[in-house]
Amino acid sequence: MRMSQDYAPCPCTHARHQSLAQAGSLTAFGFHSSVHMSVSRLQQLKGHIFPENKITAMAAPSPLSTHVLNTAMGVPGSNMALSLYRQDPTTNTWSLLTSRTTNADGRCPGLITKEMFIAGVYRLHFETALYWESMGETCFYPYVEIVFTIIDPGQKYHVPLLLSRFSYSTYRGS
């Protein structure tokens, strides 16, 4: 297919594109456009495949993960502060294990290491009021706490938070 005269050649410097342009084989809706669309889409997907902390994610994925979804707006709950606690079985007191912030995808990679993940009762504390305030909104629940029991730390656990200003829900994923 020959490049139409009313289609401007690509200003990019990709050698493959330039050789195709010189050969006249690029079209407005053909290979050239799809290459740029594919590159853009791959860059967007990169965060899903390789999380921000990719050394932790690649070396030893966390056996516990969470994901905050703002169901009112249909977007990830990004930049939400959260804390993970474990309950001492003898004193019933809570020990803080980590405090983190969700990434742009609403996830918190590397939440806990396999070595630290033992059987017991855990609590995820989400700072929902601060999240909604950062968007100029108010909410009914100033924070959300999800308490759950881990019996087999060898399994993978996913504890998502589905959130709106006036409601929330969760479930055990894998």
Side-chain angles (χ1 to χ4, degrees), residues 34-52:
S34 65
V35 165
H36 281 282
M37 188 179 306
S38 296
V39 169
S40 174
R41 181 67 181 138
L42 286 173
Q43 289 172 342
Q44 290 175 342
L45 292 174
K46 180 180 148 190
H48 296 280
I49 298 167
F50 297 108
E52 292 167 355

Side-chain angles (χ1 to χ4, degrees), residues 55-156:
I55 293 171
T56 302
M58 296 294 280
S62 178
L64 174 65
S65 60
T66 189
H67 188 191
V68 179
L69 297 169
N70 177 335
T71 57
M73 298 176 161
V75 298
S78 60
N79 298 314
M80 182 180 293
L82 65 91
S83 299
L84 176 64
Y85 297 84
R86 183 173 44 234
Q87 188 177 49
D88 182 306
T90 57
T91 64
N92 289 331
T93 58
W94 293 98
S95 297
L96 176 65
L97 300 176
T98 188
S99 292
R100 307 287 296 278
T101 304
T102 58
N103 64 16
D105 194 34
R107 298 180 187 274
C108 197
L111 193 56
I112 190 170
T113 64
K114 286 183 181 185
E115 296 76 27
M116 287 189 63
F117 195 57
I118 60 173
V121 179
Y122 289 80
R123 179 176 75 195
L124 273 169
H125 176 98
F126 298 87
E127 292 291 345
T128 54
L130 295 174
Y131 170 77
W132 290 110
E133 286 171 12
S134 73
M135 295 187 294
E137 299 282 348
T138 61
C139 66
F140 186 68
Y141 300 101
Y143 61 88
V144 170
E145 290 186 328
I146 303 171
V147 180
F148 52 96
T149 302
I150 300 300
I151 295 170
D152 180 3
Q155 292 186 24
K156 170 81 172 102

